[in-house]
Amino acid sequence: LVSTSSSTLSTGVTVNTPKKLPKPTKEELEEILADNGGSVRATAKHYGRDRRQIYRWMEQYGLRDKE
């Protein structure tokens, strides 16, 4: 599950935004990717990060070929 924090806009609307989780270990990243069927998009949502960050971590850990 993704942890969220709430903030209220000046219009009075409450917005839930995902908290950014810290950088995972290689094993943690592999596990979450596997739990999400290899979906980088779902993994990014889990970590509250952009997909590009997940791809960077994958590259750093040797989980992705450099293109």
Side-chain angles (χ1 to χ4, degrees):
L1 295 174
V2 175
S3 180
T4 60
S5 61
S6 296
S7 58
T8 304
L9 303 176
S10 60
T11 59
V13 175
T14 300
V15 178
N16 290 323
T17 54
K19 288 185 180 177
K20 286 186 180 179
L21 295 177
K23 180 179 178 180
T25 64
K26 179 180 180 180
E27 292 76 21
E28 291 168 339
L29 183 57
E30 287 176 314
E31 181 179 342
I32 298 301
L33 278 165
D35 289 349
N36 287 309
S39 170
V40 172
R41 183 181 206 166
T43 300
K45 186 174 181 178
H46 172 85
Y47 284 105
R49 304 290 184 121
D50 188 84
R51 286 181 296 137
R52 291 173 294 186
Q53 181 61 62
I54 304 305
Y55 283 118
R56 283 192 291 269
W57 288 341
M58 290 171 67
E59 191 172 313
Q60 289 170 4
Y61 291 138
L63 301 176
R64 177 176 188 250
D65 292 333
K66 238 182 174 177
E67 294 178 11

